[in-house]
Amino acid sequence: MTRTSIFIKTVWLLLIVLFFSSAAFSAEPYAVSFERNVAVKMRDGVTLRADIYRPTADGKFPVLLQRTPYDKNNGVDLGLKGAARGFVVIFQDVRGRYTSEGEWYTFKNEPNDGYDTIEWAAALPYSSGKVGMFGGSYVGATQMLAAITHPPHLAGICPVVTASNYHSNWTYQGGAFEQWFNESWTSGLAQDTFAHAVGKSTNATIGMWKLPLTSYPLFNLPHDPSATAALAPYFLDWLDHPSYDDYWKRISIEEHFGDIAVPALHTAAWYDIFLGGSLRNYEGIKAHGATDEARRGQKLLVIVGGHAGNGPKIGEVDFGAESNFDEGETILRWYEYLFKGAKNEFASDKPVRIFVMGENRYREEDDWPLARAKETKYFLHSGGKANSVRGNGTLSAATPGNENPDQYVYDPAKPVPTVGGPLCCDGQHGPAGPRDQRAVEARDDVLVYSTPPLAADTEVTGPVSLELYAKSSAADTDFTAKLVDVWPDGMAQNMTEGIVRARYRDSQETPTLITPGQVYKFTIDLWATSNVFKKGHSIRLEISSSNFPRFDRNLNTGEKRYLRTGDSPLAEPAFVPATNSVLHDAQHPSVLVLPVVTGK
């Protein structure tokens, strides 16, 4: 039995199950019709293919559309469920993926292809003309990139854990390359690209004259089957564009917030790799959307996990039953509110709902960031030896006086390892989420600053940043920061983290090297969190110069050959250790800035 016949048989079995279960539990169930691999012609003649699930009933229904690079066959459950509840649900393979024609290249075709698909869907004979999009990660990007082209019939979007800028909160962060995500995601994507190449290069007549017969070539690929240039040219292009230039600007959502004219439910997640971008999308469209309706129509849901996993247990922490997130049900309820006027949770006058860790419950809010959160400064202190958890680094509200700097050696050959955090997309080899950081904090190249055990519960909800005065013996280096919740038993739970590459300290567009030995002020964006640091816990800050392989190693030379550009790409990249110093005295008051919430 072929893969296609197995898929169709599975769909019909699910249709039968869904019909009877809907009849038993739904007031107005619909039987469901299914169409597979429907051709959709793009403006340049390329044909994309879609699966359509729709109510078997007279009348017209709103359309829910997902455009995905991850195989439209994965949409069966939500397609059947959505159609039974009165929606036309469409899953389409994006250009160059699975059943769709064309060449796959990240991001660049999604604006036009998204526009064309939306208008095609709106014109279907059973469509009401209203089209809403949904889905997460890159599927969120297909929505955002379509929305900036303002298709006339796009009436809503529902992006889940996605970015606002494909340079600064997708491919790079603080100027550093998101190595683990970029490499693991690209390797996953390349599997289908390789399958396409094999399909085009399988012809037994080409190899039939080969002798001995054992030398028969299974495939006639014109290139090395593992070559990145052939299977993932975009990966090399990302490395060719480390700065925020026109390559990135033309597809940046942030550059086009003013073009988005539809309501949106943005789902962000603590520990998610796209947390920063998801929050910025909500804030940006709310402030700059194309119409009053769009600006008023932005909603924000912040869950816990996202790409790091779903509750209740994420990483090494159990966040309770309420943390479990049903993405499909959330999408359907959003569109039942938006397209059908349902009086559900989205009809609330509170546009923001966040999961508060520590208390492990959801809470509605008037906006994000919280207006009542007070910017609270925790200054860094030490006796000059904050190295490791054994050192004398502290955090307090007291401003520093005359204090010696803390110093450590960052060696790119021995980087600080990534332990959990916002990772994607290979959990087997790179486990994500909250994990005990004590092994990291045992290293002398990690500076550790902690408060005493807290006398009362302390809620931190909102953006987190570090104003850091530092210097280096190198012409370029990195500085990393991590916010940690220390439990009474010693468990050091990572909360959120950030990085700055020294050459990008002032601008993501125009890098400038630093002068060895000169003091600079760096601002490290740790994105955001919502956590109640319980009584008896401590607030901790880790500072170092690497978090590998989440971020690529800075080789401290100021050269870029280890990316792709620069000197002789065939030469072995050189690196040098850097002696890095963190200052915290009256003239250089390094400080962790936390949004502390008091009252309700």
Side-chain angles (χ1 to χ4, degrees), residues 145-161:
L145 290 166
I148 66 176
T149 68
H150 34 84
H153 291 91
L154 182 64
I157 56 176
C158 189
V160 180
V161 293

Side-chain angles (χ1 to χ4, degrees), residues 169-396:
N169 49 65
W170 185 290
T171 309
Y172 290 84
Q173 183 178 334
F177 190 63
E178 286 265 14
Q179 183 172 341
W180 180 259
F181 165 64
N182 294 331
E183 292 180 346
S184 61
W185 186 55
T186 299
S187 292
L189 291 171
Q191 294 176 32
D192 179 61
T193 307
F194 180 67
H196 276 241
V198 167
K200 294 176 182 177
S201 305
T202 302
N203 184 347
T205 64
I206 294 176
M208 65 185 183
W209 296 100
K210 286 278 187 180
L211 291 175
L213 295 182
T214 53
S215 66
Y216 167 70
L218 293 173
F219 312 119
N220 303 289
L221 293 170
H223 54 73
D224 176 356
S226 65
T228 304
L231 296 180
Y234 45 87
F235 179 84
L236 301 180
D237 290 343
W238 299 340
L239 293 171
D240 269 340
H241 295 272
S243 300
Y244 185 51
D245 57 17
D246 287 342
Y247 174 86
W248 301 107
K249 289 178 182 178
R250 68 173 62 98
I251 55 170
S252 171
I253 305 305
E254 293 181 14
E255 303 280 345
H256 297 280
F257 282 146
D259 291 318
I260 297 177
V262 294
L265 170 62
H266 304 273
T267 299
W270 313 130
Y271 295 103
D272 185 74
I273 193 170
F274 302 137
L275 169 67
S278 296
L279 296 174
R280 289 175 70 87
N281 281 332
Y282 167 76
E283 295 177 68
I285 304 172
K286 186 174 184 293
H288 305 292
T291 65
D292 286 340
E293 180 185 10
R295 292 189 289 272
R296 291 194 306 269
Q298 302 305 303
K299 305 265 188 181
L300 174 64
L301 171 63
V302 187
I303 62 174
V304 59
H307 287 91
N310 196 10
K313 188 172 183 181
I314 301 169
E316 296 175 351
V317 176
D318 191 323
F319 291 98
E322 196 170 334
S323 67
N324 184 268
F325 176 58
D326 189 332
E327 181 176 335
E329 183 64 21
T330 301
I331 291 165
L332 293 178
R333 291 182 66 79
W334 164 245
Y335 281 113
E336 285 171 342
Y337 155 75
L338 191 63
F339 288 172
K340 299 184 177 186
K343 300 300 181 183
N344 58 26
E345 66 270 28
F346 298 112
S348 168
D349 60 358
K350 302 278 191 180
V352 175
R353 189 168 184 253
I354 61 174
F355 187 85
V356 182
M357 297 179 287
E359 291 188 349
N360 293 341
R361 65 180 182 86
Y362 280 99
R363 190 174 68 209
E364 292 188 332
E365 296 288 348
D366 293 321
D367 203 2
W368 177 271
L370 279 57
R372 69 181 187 281
K374 180 182 178 182
E375 186 178 278
T376 304
K377 294 185 175 182
Y378 290 81
F379 292 93
L380 281 61
H381 300 274
S382 82
K385 292 291 183 182
N387 309 73
S388 86
V389 74
R390 302 178 299 276
N392 54 23
T394 63
L395 289 175
S396 78

Side-chain angles (χ1 to χ4, degrees), residues 551-564:
F551 301 112
D552 72 305
R553 296 168 292 161
N554 193 321
L555 303 190
N556 298 328
T557 63
E559 297 177 351
K560 295 185 291 184
R561 71 172 74 173
Y562 67 98
L563 292 174
R564 190 191 184 203

Side-chain angles (χ1 to χ4, degrees), residues 2-63:
T2 67
R3 181 171 178 265
T4 297
S5 62
I6 291 172
F7 174 81
I8 293 173
K9 182 177 180 180
T10 300
V11 169
W12 284 112
L13 286 172
L14 285 169
L15 278 167
I16 293 168
V17 171
L18 184 73
F19 177 79
F20 285 107
S21 62
S22 297
F25 297 106
S26 174
E28 297 181 6
Y30 290 94
V32 178
S33 295
F34 170 67
E35 296 177 78
R36 179 169 169 80
N37 289 335
V38 177
V40 189
K41 190 79 73 174
M42 299 293 101
R43 65 188 67 182
D44 61 356
V46 171
T47 297
L48 310 186
R49 298 198 176 275
D51 293 345
I52 303 174
Y53 304 80
R54 61 184 178 88
T56 305
D58 294 333
K60 296 179 181 292
F61 302 88
V63 176

